[in-house]
Amino acid sequence: MSATAPAAAAAPTVVSARALTRSFGDFIAVDRVSFEVARGEVFGFLGSNGAGKTTTIRILCGLLAPTSGSASVAGYDVATEAAHIKTRIGYMSQRFSLYSDLTVDENLRFWAGAYRLWGRVLEGRLRWAREVAELERRRRTLVRELPGGYRQRLALACCLLHQPPVVFLDEPTGGVDPEARRRFWDLIDELSAEGTTVFVTTHSMDEAERCHRVALMHAGRLLALDTPRGLKADFAAGTVLEVGCALAARALPRLEELPGVVNAALFGDRLHAVVDDPARGRAIAAALDEAGFAPVTVTPIAPSLEDVFIRAIHAASREGAT
Amino acid sequence: MLAVAAKELLQLRRDRRTMLALLAMPVVLLLIYGFALSFDVRDIRLAVVDQSRTRASREVIEAFLTSGYFVRVADLDEPRPLNEMFDRGIAQAALVIPASFGADVAGRRPTALQFVLDGSDSQTANTVLGYARQIVNATGAGLFAVELRPPVVARPLVWYNPDLDSSLFLVPGLVAFILMVSSVIATALAVVREKERGTMESLRATPLVALELLVGKTLPYLLVASVAAAGSLTLAWGLFDVPIRGSIVWLALITVLFLAGGLGWGMFLSSLADTQQVAFQLGLLSSMLPTLLLSGFIFPISSMPRALQLISHIVPARYFISALREIVLKGVGPEVWWNDALALVAFGAVVLVLATVRTVRSL
């Protein structure tokens, strides 16, 4: 897990959003979102489905006009200069962006043509892409016959052919096995080291841990934005407890009612509780024991990004209710 | 644009089904419709009531039977059973020769035959009536030899299609019909397929502009459809003896103009539809019906109600069929059909602009 924050002061801003809003009728998909992404940063957008991640990316790629607010990518305004943006970004959409009835080389050549590459530059980039996708020896294989991991790398290579300074990856590792996923992220680290800004959405906590900074999105709003370490450091020491007990799912409502419990959630067959004071642990164990969920164990743990995420959503919904 | 065209051609080459539909369908349809669609009527079931039984009456009957249009299904002495024969469809026509016929002919007196027709199918009845008149006139003249000579005789002289063979008239329309349907559907499906697969989203994030995308996608289909058009016309010439009197260059030009309009229309439809199924339905409805009904393919435009005549002006097949008949049957040059060509160019331009605007907006 390499999650080092870049020297934010030195690197110029490549992507910025100011009170960016997009609504579809009465539904507000993106609600006054503001952030800045520096050159070479791996910027993660974490949120469940429907949180507004894809809509934000589509606005930044110039595919969708913002309802209000503004955003710029590589120095160009998304609302008025989309044509300039399109030559300076790579976009790997959530849905498969390759033609499965074409071969590896045919796909590469097509996308290179779409980015207007030709001549010696074209040949050079094709060689680079085959190498990155590790498909030098399967140039004439139809894409539909490739394993998922290779397709994902090829799709990434396709949208990087024109060497864009920014690349937007919308849930790039869906349906790929863990090993291929890990190698895909190694590739992202390489890109970032070479100065490419990587903007990536995910709903996997493991992947979010590998980003330099993570933005938490929920119901169209940006709830928190920091490095993974910074987000987790927001908890006072000892306030995240892991509760092991019988019938954990049924114990959850009881746990949530106990005094001092800020929020609680089910993690597999265990419960995580965020409390206002580390000393609450003993009382919680006693209360659950009494309620018939013995044997009960309560241990303070290091918070994960998921704890951060759940608490942020919890706080936001309580705020919205009052 | 060329990148899009090259990619589309590669995909088209791998897509056996679409390729087959584009190339083989026109040929199959032309064969089926070419043989089935004909206004020429043959083997009409004729009941003969000969009450005269003379040499003259036999000669008339013989003339009917040897014309090739009629087959005798009954030989009666009196007309009464005819009612039932018509009701049950045993006979479609009846020739009734009165008892006085032989004597009248022998005495060189004016006489009459009765020709009974089943008029429930007016189109067929009209044609049959025409045949019958012709036969009676010809035989009558023979029977009366030189004596029968009316003061004024109209001598019909039919140009371009002297046998009034309806396939000469229908095949150009058929070619237009087939090309329109296949070009509209093929392109509409090609664009909507990208939407369904999700590749459209990625294409939009590239510097490609809508016009490049549309024209690039259309070009390969234009190529394949042109091959299909050439095939259909060759078949029409070889199988249905449609003479190609005009220049091949003009023929190719007008066909490409027409195809471009059809492909443009397919592009426009693809911007309206989000699934291949909807695109297919829209394509079929909007290309088949107007081309079949409002283009002069089967029903002459001049005999349509005023409102339909106006609507027919926006049906590209109307211009194509008209120009095609001029070129194929008459062999005339653009000085005659330039306005048809111009109309096709206008249609193509309008449709392509519409498609581009719609695509830009829907993106």
Side-chain angles (χ1 to χ4, degrees):
Chain A
M1 302 283 153
S2 64
T4 46
T13 299
V14 179
V15 180
S16 79
R18 286 169 296 275
L20 196 63
T21 302
R22 171 71 204 205
S23 48
F24 298 98
D26 288 339
F27 174 67
I28 302 173
V30 176
D31 191 3
R32 288 160 293 159
V33 167
S34 301
F35 56 83
E36 289 194 343
V37 185
R39 180 173 179 271
E41 196 174 357
V42 178
F43 188 83
F45 241 44
L46 183 65
S48 45
N49 290 331
K53 294 172 295 177
T54 300
T55 308
T56 307
I57 281 201
R58 297 187 68 214
I59 296 172
L60 293 177
C61 291
L63 301 180
L64 197 64
T67 309
S68 68
S70 65
S72 74
V73 172
Y76 294 98
D77 188 278
V78 294
T80 55
E81 298 167 310
H84 289 288
I85 290 176
K86 286 175 184 177
T87 62
R88 287 167 178 82
I89 57 159
Y91 171 43
M92 186 172 156
S93 76
Q94 211 168 352
R95 295 182 65 186
F96 200 52
S97 59
L98 300 171
Y99 294 96
S100 52
D101 50 352
L102 294 183
T103 66
V104 169
D105 257 19
E106 286 163 354
N107 264 288
L108 284 171
R109 279 186 190 279
F110 169 66
W111 290 105
Y115 290 119
R116 312 206 190 297
L117 301 181
W118 58 281
R120 215 182 303 162
V121 180
L122 168 69
E123 296 306 323
R125 291 307 290 168
L126 290 182
R127 225 172 299 129
W128 170 86
R130 283 181 213 119
E131 201 178 304
V132 164
E134 294 169 12
L135 289 168
E136 291 107 323
R137 280 188 293 164
R138 305 175 81 163
R139 293 166 57 170
R140 284 182 192 82
T141 309
L142 288 182
V143 164
R144 77 163 85 92
E145 288 156 12
L146 289 177
Y150 281 98
R151 281 194 236 172
Q152 231 84 24
R153 292 174 78 89
L154 180 61
L156 180 62
C158 279
C159 70
L160 289 170
L161 282 167
H162 55 309
Q163 295 175 283
V166 194
V167 57
F168 293 91
L169 311 176
D170 197 1
E171 289 183 16
T173 54
V176 171
D177 64 83
E179 170 61 12
R181 187 185 284 224
R182 192 187 57 74
R183 298 200 317 130
F184 190 85
W185 274 85
D186 289 344
L187 197 56
I188 290 180
D189 286 343
E190 275 170 45
L191 286 172
S192 154
E194 287 160 13
T196 305
T197 306
V198 181
F199 194 110
V200 58
T201 73
T202 178
H203 45 215
S204 140
M205 301 298 158
D206 295 345
E207 291 188 350
E209 294 273 3
R210 292 192 68 160
C211 297
H212 297 155
R213 282 196 303 154
V214 176
L216 295 186
M217 256 197 120
H218 179 69
R221 291 171 55 198
L222 195 66
L223 300 183
L225 171 59
D226 205 339
T227 60
R229 195 178 301 174
L231 286 170
K232 288 184 281 193
D234 223 23
F235 289 95
T239 55
V240 180
L241 306 176
E242 186 180 68
V243 180
C245 65
L247 307 167
R250 271 204 254 160
L252 180 61
R254 182 83 189 88
L255 178 61
E256 280 176 321
E257 286 167 6
L258 291 175
V261 174
V262 180
N263 66 276
L266 190 65
F267 279 64
D269 61 345
R270 290 165 176 269
L271 297 164
H272 282 196
V274 176
V275 291
D276 57 357
D277 184 343
R280 296 274 186 191
R282 201 177 295 263
I284 289 173
L288 288 181
D289 211 351
E290 200 176 303
F293 296 107
V296 183
T297 58
V298 177
T299 26
I301 52 162
S304 71
L305 268 182
E306 196 154 2
D307 292 310
V308 177
F309 192 50
I310 288 168
R311 188 181 63 164
I313 292 173
H314 192 80
S317 58
R318 208 164 31 192
E319 199 178 289
T322 51
Chain B
M1 189 167 96
L2 284 177
V4 180
K7 169 224 138 209
E8 201 64 29
L9 196 61
L10 277 171
Q11 283 188 304
L12 190 57
R13 211 186 59 196
R14 295 234 167 84
D15 186 357
R16 292 251 162 79
R17 250 187 353 191
T18 307
M19 200 67 164
L20 200 71
L22 273 175
L23 288 177
M25 279 283 277
V27 173
V28 173
L29 282 177
L30 189 68
L31 284 179
I32 295 174
Y33 283 97
F35 283 115
L37 238 186
S38 167
F39 296 149
D40 307 337
V41 187
R42 268 174 221 290
D43 298 337
I44 302 143
R45 295 185 294 280
L46 181 74
V48 177
V49 184
D50 186 358
Q51 294 173 314
S52 167
R53 301 276 177 198
T54 53
R55 192 183 61 86
S57 70
R58 276 193 294 275
E59 222 163 289
V60 173
I61 294 164
E62 197 59 27
F64 268 83
L65 296 181
T66 52
S67 69
Y69 298 122
F70 299 94
V71 284
R72 178 159 49 185
V73 290
D75 196 351
L76 309 168
D77 290 323
E78 52 145 14
R80 209 166 310 147
L82 284 180
N83 258 340
E84 207 199 328
M85 295 187 79
F86 271 82
D87 285 348
R88 292 173 51 194
I90 297 169
Q92 294 166 289
L95 177 65
V96 184
I97 303 174
S100 59
F101 185 77
D104 285 341
V105 170
R108 302 227 185 283
R109 283 187 300 274
T111 184
L113 292 166
Q114 192 180 27
F115 190 69
V116 188
L117 257 178
D118 177 356
S120 54
D121 175 355
S122 64
Q123 179 96 42
T124 309
N126 249 323
T127 314
V128 174
L129 193 61
Y131 296 150
R133 269 213 189 95
Q134 232 177 321
I135 295 166
V136 172
N137 281 345
T139 356
L143 285 175
F144 289 101
V146 262
E147 276 75 12
L148 192 100
R149 193 183 276 168
V152 184
V153 183
R155 290 198 178 183
L157 181 58
V158 181
W159 279 9
Y160 309 124
N161 184 4
D163 304 329
L164 286 176
D165 181 352
S166 63
S167 73
L168 289 198
F169 169 78
L170 287 175
V171 166
L174 203 51
V175 170
F177 172 70
I178 292 161
L179 292 181
M180 186 74 190
V181 173
S182 63
S183 64
V184 167
I185 291 174
T187 43
L189 289 184
V191 177
V192 175
R193 199 177 299 135
E194 299 247 2
K195 282 199 214 173
E196 268 189 6
R197 288 184 185 170
T199 43
M200 201 57 163
E201 180 83 355
S202 304
L203 286 176
R204 292 181 44 210
T206 69
L208 284 173
V209 298
L211 193 67
E212 283 178 297
L213 199 61
L214 288 185
V215 175
K217 279 191 87 77
T218 313
L219 279 178
Y221 288 94
L222 188 61
L223 189 76
V224 176
S226 301
V227 172
S232 306
L233 283 169
T234 312
L235 199 70
W237 169 73
L239 212 58
F240 300 110
D241 298 321
V242 173
I244 297 182
R245 297 199 176 99
S247 140
I248 299 288
V249 177
W250 295 131
L251 194 60
L253 176 80
I254 202 83
T255 308
V256 168
L257 285 181
F258 175 64
L259 282 176
L263 297 165
W265 180 247
M267 288 287 159
F268 174 66
L269 292 181
S270 72
S271 66
L272 303 177
D274 279 324
T275 63
Q276 294 196 53
Q277 205 156 13
V278 173
F280 183 77
Q281 304 275 355
L282 279 178
L284 202 63
L285 268 178
S286 68
S287 62
M288 201 164 93
L289 292 181
T291 306
L292 199 62
L293 303 175
L294 295 176
S295 66
F297 170 20
I298 296 174
F299 310 106
I301 293 172
S302 56
S303 57
M304 286 177 194
R306 190 98 193 99
L308 286 184
Q309 283 193 21
L310 285 176
I311 295 173
S312 79
H313 282 286
I314 56 165
V315 177
R318 170 199 169 132
Y319 305 105
F320 180 59
I321 292 175
S322 145
L324 202 58
R325 282 178 185 153
E326 304 278 359
I327 297 172
V328 169
L329 300 181
K330 299 190 192 169
V332 293
E335 65 279 359
V336 177
W337 45 262
W338 63 271
N339 47 354
D340 288 324
L342 212 61
L344 286 177
V345 170
F347 180 84
V350 167
V351 163
L352 201 61
V353 167
L354 268 178
T356 311
V357 168
R358 274 287 322 177
T359 308
V360 168
R361 203 176 302 161
S362 74
L363 290 187

